[in-house]
């Protein structure tokens, strides 16, 4: 049966209040498919669903739903508060925390007060970590053992804890102070004999992240090492959580979207379809840049007399600003990416800027000579060609410098370089290009009129 | 000891040809760390390393190195060909295939001829899949069992195959025709009793991908379902491979980098530090766009007479082209992202374009009114303000249309919409903006001179 038909069928069971049929068919779906069903239900149908499914069953599905941020509040609100609290406490803590983070403090408090104290405490501890740190994406549902256990006893702990642990594929070895001393994969546990000791087979080259590390760095480490999960320690090297690869994929996607958004000067994740909402999100950038653009216009207006003497100059304004803007955008994108990719200690800002200036000069010379010939032949005026060519060379070099220098500057003063947008760079290079162009043209005015 | 010191120490062992010390210290590193050591070696040291490590040990490290594409050819070349072939056949097949894909056909053939026939055949089969398909990133080293086995017998297969399987965390259940009939996780195997039957506990809601599916779709499925691996089937639903989450992370990163590169009109993954190489990669786009820009200049030159009569018009060219370009870039980025994010059947091109036109009109009206007031007050000329305002409104609306229509058009005619670049859109909107601006100005010329 097609999935669309299955959804239709499930809705019919719901509408007919046929709890048994609904449960039989709904619960055999994968939780992701369950979430797709849930998202397609009407308000009434969802309300009925809460009566048909236990908080635990709803929790399994909500692990997946966590990303539909804008609706989470509505869903929780329409549930009986005790049911919602039970569901939240059945979820993996990292996901429960992600959901609670969408709510206002009073509502969070309400749900926490309805939960078993242990769960509420655990969640409260996770809620306090700052956004985008390892702590904010970790879960506390890991499995830990001691080094002086046999594999057999480790396996029995593992079997017992498997239902609630977020991953059982890595088991972490701690000492009596909860300090992380080793790690062992389920693969290793399985291929070794029952009576071997953990300390003989555990890996003791520990790779862990600090709870305050940036989530981007955590993502890079997991990718470098091809881990399925990584342990999180506090400043005393005590194990306090783990981060699993599925959450890292979310981080990678979010960071990619935010880099992309930054370059375009717009939040590309915009979900609204209301054109007024869309416009209201895009306008701030546009208006700011508009006023920067008025700066460029003011600059040009200083050269108005030159233009009325040699109107041909106006013909090439957009060509020079446009080409410099394109070069600056390329330079910006490369610089932002290099800043994001390399480790702190591999970064060499001077070298990056120097490299952009050099490649700017080379592209500038090639582009300048091309336009010198093109304009010279087209306008039968090689002096004009020379003016445009030299202006182009200078404007491109400056644009490359700006494209690399601005993200570096932002990084230095503590901003995310990825928010340096392409539109900002092009608008800024409009200004520098115009300045360069008219000053060079001024030198040759005798030959241009 | 710091990692930097460890590297120095290991190099000393290599230089002193102290094979035992080198092996002891090198092999206790994580393979990722081994790869960092390897990448820091001189040519001579690497050659010595090949004598100190077995092909299998080198293979474990090369699983991680796979991404350093540009150097792979050099590394293989400097090895003894038989050693290189042995190493390649010890690697997971998907990674060996990734590496071989960097080489020319004759070299591939040479290495395959030096491998055991079984490995060579397996690799040959994988090499024939097209880039960016599921087949090109899958591996054939998975574990499969039959449904009428007990858990105990399944576990013994798993223990035996664990050393060479790429993942043991999912076991796939096939029938006698190798058709995929179920899947079971190691977690399930562990929590159930030894004498239970596989068919009683296996999941029979199968989520698999076809070998010819686009790798982007595979990545989306793995993310949706939070899988660690997904089975790959051929057109007859026979199991032929699996794709693991670490390879999916590489796909996500590559796709994000290519989207980002597309938007900027430059390959942001450029590795070269030679400014001539860098420039030569950026120039093609710049020169193409330069000639499109000359088109805009030609257009302006048709209005040269107007400009010499009213040189104030030249002052606002860059403001209008710049703002329209910014709006077009925003629109482009949103459209590209929406096209990439949504499933084939959820796409509604008409709606997307309509939404961009509507939000273009709204942003255009707001920006237009703003600039009408600003210019009117600044130049004490509200007719001029009106010309600029109307031109801005029209230019932004057209830019939004172009920004959404062009990626959709590219998708329709079978191109990746992500290569529609910001620079291309801004250069194109320069042309439309200028056309709009001067035609509107022409209507009001009596009031502008």
């Amino acid at each position: 049966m097609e999935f669309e038909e299955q959804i239709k069928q499930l809705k019919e069971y719901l509408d007919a209040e046929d709890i048994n049929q609904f449960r039989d068919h709904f619960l055999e779906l994968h939780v992701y498919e369950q979430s797709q069903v849930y998202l397609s239900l009407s308000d009434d149908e969802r309300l009925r669903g809460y009566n048909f499914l236990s908080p635990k069953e709803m929790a399994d599905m909500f692990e997946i739903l966590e990303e539909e941020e804008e609706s989470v509040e509505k869903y929780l609100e329409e549930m009986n508060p005790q049911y919602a609290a039970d569901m939240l406490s059945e979820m993996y803590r990292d996901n429960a925390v992600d959901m609670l983070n969408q709510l206002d403090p009073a509502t969070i408090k309400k749900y926490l007060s309805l939960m078993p104290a242990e769960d509420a405490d655990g969640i409260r501890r996770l809620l306090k970590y700052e956004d985008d740190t390892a702590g904010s994406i970790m879960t506390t549902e890991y499995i830990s053992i001691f080094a002086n256990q046999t594999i057999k006893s480790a396996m029995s702990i593992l079997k017992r804890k498997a239902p609630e642990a977020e991953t059982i594929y890595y088991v972490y070895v701690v000492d009596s102070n909860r300090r992380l001393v080793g790690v062992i994969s389920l693969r290793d546990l399985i291929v070794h004999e029952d009576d071997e000791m953990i300390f003989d087979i555990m890996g003791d080259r520990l790779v862990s992240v600090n709870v305050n590390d940036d989530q981007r760095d955590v993502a890079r480490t997991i990718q470098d090492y091809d881990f399925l999960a990584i342990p999180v320690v506090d400043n005393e090297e005590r194990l306090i959580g783990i981060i699993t690869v599925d959450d890292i994929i979310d981080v990678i996607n979010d960071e990619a979207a935010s880099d992309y958004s930054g370059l375009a000067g717009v939040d590309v994740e915009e979900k609204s379809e209301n054109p007024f909402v869309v416009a209201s999100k895009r306008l701030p950038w546009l208006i700011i840049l508009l006023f920067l653009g008025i700066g460029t216009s003011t600059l040009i207006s200083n050269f108005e007399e030159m233009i009325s003497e040699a109107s041909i100059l106006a013909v090439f304004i957009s060509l020079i600003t446009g080409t410099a803007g394109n070069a600056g955008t390329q330079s910006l994108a490369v610089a932002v990416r290099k800043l994001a990719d390399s480790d702190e200690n591999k970064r060499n800002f001077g070298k990056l800027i120097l490299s952009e200036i050099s490649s700017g000069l080379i592209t500038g010379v090639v582009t300048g000579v091309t336009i010198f010939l093109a304009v010279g032949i087209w306008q039968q005026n090689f002096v004009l060609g020379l003016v445009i060519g030299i202006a182009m060379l200078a404007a491109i070099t400056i644009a490359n410098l700006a494209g690399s220098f601005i993200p570096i500057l932002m990084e230095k003063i503590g901003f995310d370089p990825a928010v340096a947008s392409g539109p900002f760079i092009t608008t800024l290079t409009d200004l520098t290009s115009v300045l360069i162009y008219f000053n060079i043209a001024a030198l040759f005015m005798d030959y241009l009129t």
Side-chain angles (χ1 to χ4, degrees), chain A:
Chain A
M1 189 164 25
E2 284 297 307
F3 188 49
E4 295 298 313
E5 282 173 57
Q6 283 182 304
I7 294 185
K8 216 177 126 214
Q9 175 104 74
L10 282 164
K11 287 182 168 212
E12 282 168 18
Y13 293 142
L14 266 183
D15 298 339
E17 307 230 15
D18 187 342
I19 182 164
N20 291 331
Q21 285 282 6
F22 176 78
R23 286 179 55 82
D24 280 356
H25 289 84
F26 184 80
L27 293 174
E28 79 171 8
L29 297 178
H30 187 279
V31 286
Y32 170 68
E33 294 157 348
Q34 292 178 359
S35 76
Q36 297 304 102
V37 174
Y38 179 81
L39 289 174
S40 75
L41 296 181
S42 70
D43 290 3
D44 279 354
E45 287 166 340
R46 276 201 312 278
L47 288 179
R48 219 161 277 158
Y50 303 135
N51 293 325
F52 287 10
L53 296 167
S54 73
K56 168 79 177 109
E57 287 157 352
M58 195 55 82
D60 290 342
M61 187 197 79
F62 263 73
E63 310 277 8
I64 292 272
L65 259 184
E66 132 221 16
E67 285 135 56
E68 301 286 326
E69 300 183 357
E70 69 279 20
S71 312
V72 159
E73 196 171 350
K74 180 176 119 194
Y75 296 149
L76 289 176
E77 193 131 300
E78 67 190 13
M79 295 178 193
N80 171 313
Q82 184 62 55
Y83 182 93
D86 287 349
M87 182 191 81
L88 287 165
S89 68
E90 292 282 4
M91 287 175 70
Y92 290 125
R93 283 196 188 142
D94 54 343
N95 294 339
V97 166
D98 285 348
M99 288 187 61
L100 286 170
N101 267 326
Q102 317 299 325
L103 312 177
D104 59 277
T107 318
I108 297 178
K109 214 171 154 190
K110 178 181 76 183
Y111 290 131
L112 289 178
S113 73
L114 292 168
M115 281 182 202
E118 191 199 331
D119 290 330
D121 286 348
I123 288 176
R124 227 173 260 125
R125 262 198 302 279
L126 288 181
L127 276 170
K128 69 168 202 276
Y129 291 110
E130 271 180 70
D131 269 5
D132 301 341
T133 62
S136 73
I137 53 170
M138 75 180 184
T139 187
T140 49
E141 287 128 325
Y142 54 85
I143 299 179
S144 63
I145 54 176
F146 294 114
N148 59 354
Q149 288 184 283
T150 59
I151 291 207
K152 190 176 173 152
S153 79
M155 284 297 285
S156 85
I157 292 181
L158 203 135
K159 282 186 197 190
R160 208 177 57 239
K161 295 225 180 143
E164 63 216 38
E166 187 155 351
T167 180
I168 63 163
Y169 300 134
Y170 293 110
V171 178
Y172 299 96
V173 187
V174 295
D175 67 12
S176 55
N177 295 316
R178 300 213 55 73
R179 264 198 300 266
L180 184 65
V181 294
V183 60
I184 188 161
S185 69
L186 181 51
R187 188 194 280 246
D188 288 330
L189 286 176
I190 281 188
V191 297
H192 283 88
E193 298 304 320
D194 270 3
D195 55 355
E196 287 185 70
M197 299 298 290
I198 295 297
F199 56 71
D200 284 330
I201 60 165
M202 74 183 190
D204 54 4
R205 281 200 65 82
L206 295 172
V207 181
S208 62
V209 294
N210 183 282
V211 67
N212 297 312
D213 282 355
D214 189 294
Q215 60 177 7
R216 232 181 230 255
D217 296 331
V218 180
R220 197 182 303 139
T221 306
I222 288 212
Q223 290 173 68
D224 282 345
Y225 286 87
D226 280 354
F227 284 151
L228 297 179
I230 196 165
V232 182
V233 297
D234 64 14
N235 293 331
E236 279 78 47
E237 297 290 318
R238 282 182 306 231
L239 180 64
I240 55 173
I242 60 165
I243 296 171
T244 49
V245 70
D246 56 307
D247 296 316
I248 288 304
I249 289 185
D250 295 342
V251 170
I252 295 173
N253 277 324
D254 288 351
E255 297 286 352
S258 102
D259 285 0
Y260 193 80
S261 298
L263 190 64
V266 61
D267 175 12
V268 292
E269 300 286 88
E270 58 185 28
K271 295 260 170 68
S272 175
E273 302 203 327
N274 179 335
F276 286 93
V277 177
V278 170
S280 73
K281 295 207 167 162
R282 297 190 193 175
L283 272 166
W285 249 126
L286 283 182
I287 299 287
I288 292 170
L289 295 174
L290 184 71
F291 281 94
L292 187 55
I294 290 178
T296 307
S297 292
T298 314
L299 200 65
I300 301 178
S301 74
N302 290 327
F303 298 98
E304 224 188 302
E305 209 170 310
M306 267 172 70
I307 296 171
S308 59
E309 279 176 46
S311 56
I312 188 75
L313 286 176
V315 169
F316 296 99
I317 295 176
S318 70
L319 185 65
I320 291 175
T321 58
T323 308
N326 294 341
T329 304
Q330 291 182 331
S331 183
L332 170 74
V334 171
V336 167
R337 199 76 192 180
K338 280 202 177 140
L339 289 175
D341 268 4
S342 52
D343 296 329
E344 201 87 35
N345 48 15
K346 278 196 204 151
R347 280 175 205 160
N348 188 330
F349 297 134
K351 202 167 150 197
L352 180 55
I353 291 183
L354 209 66
S355 147
E356 283 302 320
I357 295 179
S358 319
S359 59
L361 275 170
I362 298 167
T363 47
V365 166
V366 176
T367 316
V369 169
T370 309
I371 199 66
F372 160 70
L373 292 173
V375 170
I377 293 166
W378 171 31
Q379 296 284 330
Q380 290 294 311
N381 182 344
F382 283 92
V383 176
L384 179 65
L386 192 67
V387 169
I388 312 286
I390 295 174
M392 193 76 97
L393 161 62
I396 287 178
T397 309
I398 299 291
N400 272 33
L401 175 63
S404 52
F405 182 71
I406 287 173
I408 287 176
L409 184 73
M410 293 182 68
E411 166 107 358
K412 279 270 180 202
I413 59 178
F415 285 97
D416 180 358
V419 305
S421 81
F424 176 67
I425 291 292
T426 53
T427 309
L428 188 73
T429 55
D430 279 359
L431 201 136
T432 57
S433 305
V434 159
L435 193 65
I436 291 167
Y437 175 42
F438 282 103
N439 276 295
I440 290 174
L443 300 177
F444 292 85
M445 270 309 276
D446 293 345
Y447 307 92
L448 295 176
T449 44

